[in-house]
Amino acid sequence: MYVLEPRSSSLLKAMQMREWWVQVGLLAVPLLAAYLHIPPPQLSPALHSWKTSGKFFTYKGLRIFYQDSVGVVGSPEIVVLLHGFPTSSYDWYKIWEGLTLRFHRVIALDFLGFGFSDKPRPHQYSIFEQASIVESLLRHLGLQNRRINLLSHDYGDIVAQELLYRYKQNRSGRLTIKSLCLSNGGIFPETHRPLLLQKLLKDGGVLSPILTRLMNFFVFSRGLTPVFGPYTRPTESELWDMWAVIRNNDGNLVIDSLLQYINQRKKFRRRWVGALASVSIPIHFIYGPLDPINPYPEFLELYRKTLPRSTVSILDDHISHYPQLEDPMGFLNAYMGFINSF
């Protein structure tokens, strides 16, 4: 009778284990491949309506989505809305109707790489290009010579700073800015606290393309939900709307490229903060004070020190990074109070 020696037994176990891992690998490969090519979620009826009611224009061969609503008849007032990262112009839907009751034209766009706009890759996304796209849109609409009120949030705040710099330089073809209202944007690199995933992706390391491909709704919702207040967090359906817009045109694959704005903001701090501090137009800031990305009181103290002439609206203590979604009425009232003050 043959007795298996201990060494042979160990070898057999090792071979069986290797075969098991090979089987797992063979099973995992098609599953991972299917996952990485999973189609984006279907648009909800509300989001589909937002898309179909909007339009596209072409900037250097790229399609840019925008909304343009006519509001109060006879009013000369125009407001242009600049959204934040990583979402889209749909961030403004809760205050859209209220804005049309005050302004003759309410305009918003999806920046390149966001929302329903094109998301080319590879591409060197920059704040400078996004500002040029805003200028191009207004030329497309025949509004390049009109005085524009800018209302911005987060990433849009940085684009607004570049537009303000160009306005200050009085360069031909630039916007004529009547007023600027910022909200919960990291306009100061030294007080900005990006999320962990943003830190990993912005440096463009070898992990970036892997992380962007592996990003899914679970990772996205877990990452975004904490930047909302505890009582004003988005519903699951609202999160799915945000995710659907990101996944449109494979937008998850360009997130690392878009996040280069964090490095750009640090490099061009003097240019962009200097523009805010040196212009004489009315400037206002609407602030959700529970914001973990632009924390209270450090951010607000620096803002007031740097921009003593700017007015500020601080919303309720539990409002966080997305004030226009978390407290749309409070946000709208704060903005109307500013607009009606000059």
Side-chain angles (χ1 to χ4, degrees), residues 135 138-146 148 173-176:
E135 294 171 338
L138 292 175
R139 285 195 297 272
H140 172 76
L141 297 175
L143 301 173
Q144 66 270 26
N145 296 320
R146 300 287 295 275
I148 304 297
R174 305 311 187 192
L175 298 190
T176 301

Side-chain angles (χ1 to χ4, degrees), residues 225 228-234 290 316-320 325-327:
T225 299
F228 286 77
Y231 311 117
T232 53
R233 289 181 173 174
L290 202 59
D316 290 344
D317 291 347
H318 63 276
I319 303 302
S320 188
L325 291 174
E326 298 179 59
D327 184 12

Side-chain angles (χ1 to χ4, degrees), residues 101-340:
L101 299 177
R102 174 62 175 78
F103 294 93
H104 176 56
R105 298 280 287 276
V106 181
I107 300 165
L109 77 159
D110 288 347
F111 291 123
L112 184 69
F114 294 83
F116 297 120
S117 292
D118 280 352
K119 298 169 180 176
R121 67 180 199 275
H123 186 81
Q124 296 294 323
Y125 291 91
S126 75
I127 294 297
F128 301 102
E129 182 179 45
Q130 305 289 20
S132 296
I133 289 172
V134 176
E135 294 171 338
S136 181
L137 171 59
L138 292 175
R139 285 195 297 272
H140 172 76
L141 297 175
L143 301 173
Q144 66 270 26
N145 296 320
R146 300 287 295 275
R147 300 177 72 201
I148 304 297
N149 298 285
L150 291 178
L151 173 57
S152 60
H153 170 245
D154 185 66
Y155 182 95
D157 285 2
I158 317 303
V159 179
Q161 287 177 268
E162 172 59 20
L163 290 169
L164 198 62
Y165 176 84
R166 298 180 186 188
Y167 169 70
K168 175 194 168 190
Q169 298 299 311
N170 196 27
R171 297 180 180 176
S172 60
R174 305 311 187 192
L175 298 190
T176 301
I177 301 174
K178 182 178 180 180
S179 72
L180 170 61
C181 181
L182 309 156
S183 60
N184 283 81
I187 58 178
F188 305 116
E190 57 268 45
T191 59
H192 183 250
R193 304 289 182 267
L195 302 174
L196 175 61
L197 186 59
Q198 291 178 322
K199 292 179 183 178
L200 292 173
L201 291 174
K202 77 177 179 65
D203 293 327
V206 294
L207 285 177
S208 293
I210 299 173
L211 292 173
T212 54
R213 281 200 172 272
L214 291 177
M215 189 176 294
N216 57 24
F217 174 74
F218 177 78
V219 174
F220 165 74
S221 59
R222 279 297 188 93
L224 190 69
T225 299
V227 306
F228 286 77
Y231 311 117
T232 53
R233 289 181 173 174
T235 64
E236 185 167 339
S237 62
E238 289 172 332
L239 285 167
W240 272 109
D241 279 344
M242 295 177 185
W243 178 239
V245 170
I246 291 172
R247 280 297 321 276
N248 183 72
N249 291 335
D250 291 327
N252 56 304
L253 302 183
V254 302
I255 284 180
D256 55 334
S257 299
L258 292 171
L259 277 168
Q260 297 310 305
Y261 87 91
I262 296 178
N263 298 324
Q264 293 165 20
R265 179 177 52 203
K266 185 175 181 180
K267 182 178 180 179
F268 296 103
R269 183 195 188 282
R270 179 177 296 182
R271 174 187 178 107
W272 291 335
V273 175
L276 283 174
S278 60
V279 297
S280 58
I281 65 167
I283 297 179
H284 190 67
F285 197 96
I286 301 177
Y287 185 49
L290 202 59
D291 187 356
I293 298 175
N294 303 289
Y296 179 89
E298 298 95 323
F299 171 82
L300 196 57
E301 289 174 352
L302 182 57
Y303 183 86
R304 284 175 162 160
K305 179 181 178 181
T306 307
L307 302 171
R309 291 184 289 107
S310 173
T311 51
V312 177
S313 294
I314 304 176
L315 301 182
D316 290 344
D317 291 347
H318 63 276
I319 303 302
S320 188
H321 185 65
Y322 275 86
Q324 76 275 38
L325 291 174
E326 298 179 59
D327 184 12
M329 188 56 66
F331 187 97
L332 190 61
N333 288 339
Y335 184 59
M336 292 306 176
F338 165 61
I339 285 294
N340 294 328

